[in-house]
Amino acid sequence: MQIQDLPYPDPGVPDARSGPRFLVWLGRNQLGGQAKALAWGLLHFMSVSGLPFCVGFAVQAVVDRSGARLGMAGGLIALCGFGIALGDTMLHRAAVTNWITAAARVQQLLARRTALLGSALTRRVAAGEIVAVSTGDVEKIGWFVEAVSRFTAAAVTIVFVCVALVVYQPALGVVVAVGVPVLALAVLPLLPRATRRADFQREKAGHATELASDTVAGLRVLRGIGGEELFLDRYRRASQEVRHAAVRSARMWALISAIQVLLPGLLLIVVVWHGVNLARDGRITVGELVTVYSAVMLLTYPLRHFEEIAMAYSFSRPSAKRAARVLSLERATDGEGSREAVVPAGDLYDPATGLLAPAGRLTAVVCGDPDAAGVLAERLGGHAADSSGLPSALVGGVPLDGLPLDSARSAVLVQDKDPVLLSGTLRELLDVPASGDVSPEEALAAAQCGDVLDALAQGSLDVAEPMDARITERGRSLSGGQRQRLALARSLITDPEVLVLDEPTSAVDSHTEARIADGVRSLRQGRTTVVFTSSPLLLDHADRVVLVHEGEVAAVGVHRELLHSEPRYRAVVTRETEDEAGAHELGRLRELEEIEETA
C-alpha cells in the first residue's frame, strides 16, 4: 500500500452497518500499512524505553569505577538513539501514509456512491451534510485509522517495560506495574461525556455548514430580496453555537489532559520516595533507582497515546457514523442489472402513471404539482428517489431497473429543474459522453446561448475564444437563465435516445423561450424528447401533450385542443382562478346551447 497507488482501482465494498463497523473495515483493508506502522512504532518506543536501563547501567558503572561497562553503556545509548531516530522517522512516514490512504479510500467511496445515487442523494441527505462528510469527517476517520497502530505499539511497550521493571527491580517494579494501568484507565469514566460533547459539536458544525451552503447557493436571490442580513444573522447564531459547543468539548479534553499529567507526576513522587528509602536501606543500588526513575519519566510519552486514541475515536466515531449512513444508501433500482448491457430504443412508457412518449416525438407533460413532476422525471430516467414499489419505466418494452446503470443512463438522460454547472472552461463543461452527431456549436445555437458566449468572452479578456472562457463554481457569475441554457446545451450534445427535460426554460424570457422551443424541436428531430413544462410556448411546439393529474394521465392531445376542452389543463397552463374557470365553463355551455338552438 503506497500513496502513489491512489486512487484505488477498486476501493472495496464497505461495511456500512454502523460507524464502528466501518472503522473496523477500513482497518482490515490496511493491515499491511498497520503492520508497518506497528513495527516502526515498536522500534521507536522500545528504543526510548531502553534509554533508562542504559543510563542506569552507565551510572552504576561510574559508581563502580568500571570504564569497560561505561563504554558499553555509551554504545548502547548510541544504539538506542539510532533506533529512536530511525523508528520515529519511519513511524511518521507510515502513519501519514495510513492517514492519507484511509481518507482517500473514504472519499473515493463517497464519490462513487454520489455518482451511483445521482440527484436522489440530496433528497435523502442534506447537501451541507455531504460536504461536511467528504471534507472534515474523512480527516477524522483517517486520524483514528492511523492512530491505532501507534497506540498498539505504545501499549505493547508499556507492558514490556512494566514486566522488565518487575524482573529488574521487583521492589519498585511492582509499584510501577500497579500504578501504570491505573494511569491508563483513570480517564475512562470521562470518555462518555467527552464523546457526547464531541458528537454535539459535530452536529452543530454540520448544521452551520448546511446553512452556509444553502446561503451561498441562494445568494443571488437573497440579494434580490434584500435578505442577506437575515441569513447572515442566522449563520452568526449557528457559528456561535458551534463555538460554544467546541469550548465545552475542549474543556473536557483539557481535564483529561490534566489528569494525564497529574497522575504520572504522583506516580513519580511515589516511586522516588519509595526508591530513596530502599536505597537508604541498601536494598537497591543508585543505578537501579536511576533506571526506575527514568523509566517512569519516559513512560509518560507512550501513555499520551492512550489519550490520543480516546480522542481520535471520540471524534471519528460520529464522523464514521455519518459516512456509513451515506454509504449505506442504495439506488432504488438494480445498479448491476439483470439484463444484457444494451441501450434500448423505442417508446418511453411509465406504467405507474400511464404516461407514453412515442419514439421520435416531442412530448410535453403538464403536471400541476412541481414536486410530483420532478419525481416522475426521475422515475422516467430510472433514478427513483426511493424504492416505493412502483414499476419501473420502460424504453422499448425494456424495464430500466433491469439494465446496468451505465446502460440505463445512456438510454435516458434526465435534466432536472436545477442543473449544476461545474467550474472550468466552457469547452470542459461541454466535453461530455455523446453520440458525436450533435456538435457543441449546434447545441449552443439550439439553446440560444449567443449572449452567454458574449458574456463569458467579456469576462475573460485573456482568452482567444469563448469556448476557453472559465465558468465559476456552479456558474455563480451567470444569471439563472444563462445557467439554464448552458445546461440545456450540455444535455443536447449528449444526444441520448430519450431526453427528459424538467422545466428547461423557467428562467428565460418569452422571446428566448420561443426560439429555444424551435431549436430543441429541430435538433431533436427523430429522437424521443419529453419536456415537463407549463409554458404555452413550449406546449404549442410539442407533437403530443399529456396532462398528469394526481399521479395518473388525465388527458392526451395537443395544446390548443386541451386548452379548450380540459379545464384542469387550462387551470395549470393559464393559472386561472376557480372563479375564472367557472366563468369560462359557463360561457362554453352557453355557446353549446346557442349552437343547439340554431341547429
Side-chain angles (χ1 to χ4, degrees):
M1 179 190 63
Q2 299 293 332
I3 293 179
Q4 58 261 32
D5 296 332
L6 299 174
Y8 296 107
D10 180 13
V13 180
D15 186 348
R17 289 176 291 177
S18 66
R21 287 178 182 271
F22 180 58
L23 292 174
V24 171
W25 179 84
L26 281 174
R28 286 204 314 265
N29 278 270
Q30 292 188 197
L31 290 179
Q34 297 285 2
K36 288 181 181 178
L38 177 60
W40 291 118
L42 287 173
L43 174 62
H44 174 63
F45 289 124
M46 290 297 185
S47 299
V48 171
S49 301
L51 282 177
F53 297 93
C54 297
V55 171
F57 186 69
V59 170
Q60 193 60 42
V62 172
V63 173
D64 296 339
R65 300 181 181 277
S66 173
R69 282 189 292 162
L70 184 59
M72 185 183 298
L76 292 174
I77 291 175
L79 182 62
C80 287
F82 176 76
I84 292 172
L86 178 63
D88 191 27
T89 301
M90 299 306 295
L91 171 61
H92 179 73
R93 185 176 185 275
V96 170
T97 300
N98 286 338
W99 189 334
I100 293 176
T101 50
R105 187 187 296 273
V106 176
Q107 285 183 322
Q108 199 171 345
L109 289 169
L110 290 170
R112 293 196 176 196
R113 183 60 52 178
T114 300
L116 176 67
L117 293 172
S119 60
L121 177 62
T122 52
R123 292 193 181 98
R124 300 160 75 176
V125 181
E129 184 74 6
I130 299 172
V131 172
V133 170
S134 59
T135 53
D137 281 342
V138 295
E139 294 186 4
K140 295 180 178 67
I141 293 170
W143 176 27
F144 174 76
V145 171
E146 69 88 11
V148 168
S149 55
R150 288 189 288 111
F151 163 73
T152 304
V156 171
T157 301
I158 290 173
V159 172
F160 174 79
V161 171
C162 289
V163 172
L165 287 177
V166 171
V167 174
Y168 177 73
Q169 177 43 252
L172 286 177
V174 172
V175 176
V176 176
V178 172
V180 167
V182 174
L183 299 183
L185 303 177
V187 297
L188 285 181
L190 299 177
L191 290 181
R193 181 177 298 180
T195 301
R196 287 194 299 271
R197 292 190 180 185
D199 288 353
F200 184 72
Q201 176 193 349
R202 174 59 184 78
E203 179 184 344
K204 291 297 182 182
H207 173 67
T209 302
E210 180 181 344
L211 182 61
S213 177
D214 292 343
T215 302
V216 172
L219 190 57
R220 184 183 294 273
V221 177
L222 291 176
R223 286 174 176 168
I225 63 176
E228 305 103 307
E229 286 300 323
L230 173 63
F231 275 81
L232 186 59
D233 289 339
R234 290 183 181 178
Y235 184 74
R236 284 197 189 102
R237 290 195 296 270
S239 62
Q240 287 301 312
E241 290 177 357
V242 174
R243 184 179 69 84
H244 290 310
V247 169
R248 292 185 71 246
S249 179
R251 285 173 180 167
M252 183 56 63
W253 289 110
L255 176 60
I256 292 175
S257 297
I259 292 174
Q260 290 287 303
V261 172
L262 175 63
L263 294 184
L266 294 177
L267 177 62
L268 190 61
I269 292 173
V270 171
V271 168
V272 171
W273 175 78
H274 185 53
V276 168
N277 290 330
L278 293 176
R280 185 181 300 166
D281 295 338
R283 297 171 57 184
I284 64 172
T285 65
V286 175
E288 290 173 336
L289 176 59
V290 172
T291 297
V292 176
Y293 170 80
S294 302
V296 175
M297 283 286 292
L298 292 178
L299 276 179
T300 57
Y301 172 50
L303 277 172
R304 299 292 295 180
H305 288 77
F306 283 76
E307 176 191 348
E308 183 195 15
I309 196 65
M311 183 180 293
Y313 180 73
S314 297
F315 280 96
S316 66
R317 188 182 62 82
S319 297
K321 179 181 178 182
R322 272 172 275 270
R325 178 192 172 203
V326 175
L327 294 175
S328 65
L329 298 176
E330 295 291 342
R331 185 169 175 260
T333 53
D334 183 10
E336 296 297 329
S338 55
R339 292 177 174 265
E340 183 182 355
V342 297
V343 179
D347 296 344
L348 174 65
Y349 178 66
D350 177 38
T353 59
L355 172 64
L356 174 66
R361 307 285 294 280
L362 174 60
T363 301
V365 180
V366 176
C367 188
D369 183 357
D371 293 333
V375 172
L376 177 55
E378 291 292 327
R379 192 165 67 249
L380 290 178
H383 314 310
D386 52 37
S387 53
S388 55
L390 295 175
S392 168
L394 295 86
V395 176
V398 178
L400 288 176
D401 62 359
L403 291 172
L405 184 59
D406 292 342
S407 299
R409 289 184 173 175
S410 297
V412 183
L413 173 66
V414 179
Q415 176 184 304
D416 61 24
K417 60 172 62 68
D418 187 22
V420 175
L421 301 183
L422 301 179
S423 60
T425 65
L426 179 57
R427 192 183 307 279
E428 292 170 340
L429 175 71
L430 301 180
D431 184 17
V432 293
S435 66
D437 295 335
V438 179
S439 67
E441 292 74 16
E442 292 174 328
L444 289 169
Q448 300 300 310
C449 293
D451 63 317
V452 184
L453 297 178
D454 294 338
L456 290 173
Q458 293 174 3
S460 305
L461 300 177
D462 56 337
V463 298
E465 55 179 303
M467 292 295 289
D468 294 323
R470 293 198 64 81
I471 298 174
T472 57
E473 181 187 4
R474 298 179 69 92
R476 299 193 194 283
S477 60
L478 303 173
S479 68
Q482 290 173 330
R483 289 197 300 270
Q484 203 170 52
R485 282 177 281 162
L486 284 179
L488 176 60
R490 179 179 59 187
S491 298
L492 292 174
I493 286 176
T494 61
D495 192 33
E497 286 291 333
V498 179
L499 176 61
V500 179
L501 304 171
D502 189 3
E503 295 290 353
T505 59
S506 59
V508 300
D509 60 80
S510 58
H511 297 290
T512 305
E513 188 176 33
R515 294 195 295 270
I516 290 175
D518 286 331
V520 170
R521 181 182 177 86
S522 175
L523 194 63
R524 292 288 298 173
Q525 190 71 34
R527 293 286 202 182
T528 308
T529 307
V530 179
V531 181
F532 284 81
T533 183
S534 59
S535 167
L537 291 172
L538 285 177
L539 294 169
D540 201 33
H541 284 77
D543 300 314
R544 174 186 176 93
V545 178
V546 179
L547 172 65
V548 176
H549 182 69
E550 295 183 353
E552 294 182 353
V553 171
V556 179
V558 294
H559 171 59
R560 297 181 186 275
E561 289 180 359
L562 294 176
L563 198 60
H564 291 87
S565 63
E566 179 54 60
R568 292 171 295 185
Y569 177 83
R570 185 172 56 251
V572 175
V573 174
T574 63
R575 276 79 167 177
E576 67 180 7
T577 63
E578 292 184 3
D579 293 339
E580 292 172 337
H584 189 280
E585 185 65 20
L586 181 61
R588 194 172 69 86
L589 291 175
R590 287 176 177 174
E591 289 179 0
L592 292 174
E593 290 175 356
E594 291 175 359
I595 292 173
E596 290 177 355
E597 290 176 358
T598 303

